[in-house]
Amino acid sequence: MLDTLSFAQKQRLAYIDFCLLFKGAIYRQDLIKRFEVGLSASSKDFSLYKTLAPKNLHYHTVEKRYVQTEQFQPVFEHDAQRTLVKLANDISDGFDGIGDVDYPVESPSNLNVPNIFIVARLVQAILLNKAVSVIYTSLSSGSGARELVPHSIVDNGLRWHVRAFDRKSQSFRDFVLTRVSKVTLKEAGEEHEQADADEAWQRLIPLQLVPHPKNVKHATAIEMDYGMENSQLLIKVRAAMAGYLLRRWNVDCTERGVLEGAEYQLWLQNRFTLNKVDNLAIAPGYLN
């Protein structure tokens, strides 16, 4: 039946599918606003979607919205990497399910690809402010059950992780998405488990990046690469993300810029700003 539909209608159906998968629900008004269609046309789209997947949704008469069922199985294929990028940039269209334009742009392949259903359930938990029970496999303790209260999904440059309050350690931590094998929604999170209470997430620290004093022969090239002004780049980053950024850009974090190698083109000039910042073991050359 999908092959007989117009591209525009498949887009709308893919959007319904996307919202049910990642948000757990969709209002008819969501479809109307997103595609500027009338009430009658939107009703036909929901009826058609229900014909295609009758066990995927039911209408909640009190909340006046369509809700995902426990038997939900996506009608369209949603690519994990592309979907995560779209979610990160607030592009909730679901169009990858029916084939986007093949743009002539490439990016380095990530080493891992998260399970799309794991991502979807965590996104739902974040949007609904819910805690989750997960099975997580760590390098130190292996597989085990944990209760988390997630608040953000983050690309650290190499892989995707979820930032969450960990009820086991009673602290905010990062959990790699590919190491999560099961997610079950639970009750709402407590106030001290929310993003507002995540001090390292809320605190912004300034980074003063300059061309490396020893490894760069022509500093102007680096200044142009990073759009520097007055031979430096001043940026603010969440304390929880500082280590990832410094590692991703291979920023020399030694006191005097002594790391050797062509990969170290930047030096952190205000190293003192990293005081009281966690996850700096991955920051090149940084030692407490």
Side-chain angles (χ1 to χ4, degrees), residues 268-287:
L268 179 64
Q269 199 166 45
N270 62 335
R271 186 177 182 278
F272 62 86
T273 195
L274 298 181
N275 292 338
K276 298 182 180 180
V277 173
D278 297 327
N279 81 341
L280 291 178
I282 59 175
Y286 185 84
L287 295 174

Side-chain angles (χ1 to χ4, degrees), residues 12-27:
R12 298 195 295 273
L13 293 178
Y15 180 72
I16 294 174
D17 202 51
F18 184 94
C19 289
L20 288 172
L21 177 60
F22 288 95
K23 297 181 179 180
I26 179 173
Y27 292 93

Side-chain angles (χ1 to χ4, degrees), residues 176-187:
V176 181
L177 288 184
T178 50
R179 297 179 187 172
V180 180
S181 56
K182 185 179 180 180
V183 180
T184 303
L185 293 179
K186 296 179 67 65
E187 75 287 349

Side-chain angles (χ1 to χ4, degrees), residues 86-104:
K86 289 184 176 185
L87 289 170
N89 291 279
D90 197 25
I91 306 173
S92 304
D93 53 25
F95 291 176
D96 57 294
I98 58 174
D100 277 337
V101 176
D102 188 15
Y103 294 106

Side-chain angles (χ1 to χ4, degrees), residues 42-224:
S42 69
S43 297
K44 290 180 180 178
D45 288 332
F46 278 104
S47 295
L48 178 55
Y49 183 88
K50 193 158 189 175
T51 299
L52 291 168
K55 295 183 179 181
N56 272 9
L57 76 169
H58 72 268
Y59 187 71
H60 197 294
T61 55
V62 177
E63 298 178 356
K64 296 183 179 180
R65 62 175 182 167
Y66 293 91
V67 181
Q68 180 199 99
T69 64
E70 292 184 0
Q71 296 79 31
F72 177 86
Q73 290 293 328
V75 175
F76 297 90
E77 182 178 350
H78 302 276
D79 179 82
Q81 294 285 19
R82 296 170 71 180
T83 298
L84 282 166
V85 171
K86 289 184 176 185
L87 289 170
N89 291 279
D90 197 25
I91 306 173
S92 304
D93 53 25
F95 291 176
D96 57 294
I98 58 174
D100 277 337
V101 176
D102 188 15
Y103 294 106
V105 178
E106 294 289 338
S107 63
S109 298
N110 285 6
L111 294 179
N112 56 2
V113 179
N115 182 299
I116 196 70
F117 298 105
I118 296 294
V119 174
R121 192 55 60 89
L122 288 171
V123 170
Q124 284 186 43
I126 293 171
L127 293 177
L128 298 173
N129 188 31
K130 297 283 189 179
V132 293
S133 174
V134 306
I135 300 299
Y136 188 76
T137 303
S138 69
L139 291 174
S140 59
S141 58
S143 296
R146 287 178 182 264
E147 284 194 10
L148 310 176
V149 183
H151 67 69
S152 300
I153 291 178
V154 182
D155 175 14
N156 69 13
L158 178 63
R159 56 194 179 190
W160 293 88
H161 68 257
V162 59
R163 181 76 175 175
F165 182 83
D166 176 26
R167 288 178 171 172
K168 180 179 180 180
S169 64
Q170 288 292 300
S171 63
F172 288 96
R173 296 190 174 186
D174 300 334
F175 297 89
V176 181
L177 288 184
T178 50
R179 297 179 187 172
V180 180
S181 56
K182 185 179 180 180
V183 180
T184 303
L185 293 179
K186 296 179 67 65
E187 75 287 349
E190 301 292 336
E191 185 175 351
H192 71 280
E193 301 172 325
Q194 306 302 318
D196 288 345
D198 188 346
E199 190 274 337
W201 183 260
Q202 298 298 335
R203 180 162 57 96
L204 297 178
I205 61 173
L207 300 180
Q208 185 179 11
L209 307 178
V210 299
H212 198 281
K214 295 184 178 180
N215 299 331
V216 175
K217 184 177 180 180
H218 300 287
T220 301
I222 302 303
E223 293 171 14
M224 294 174 68

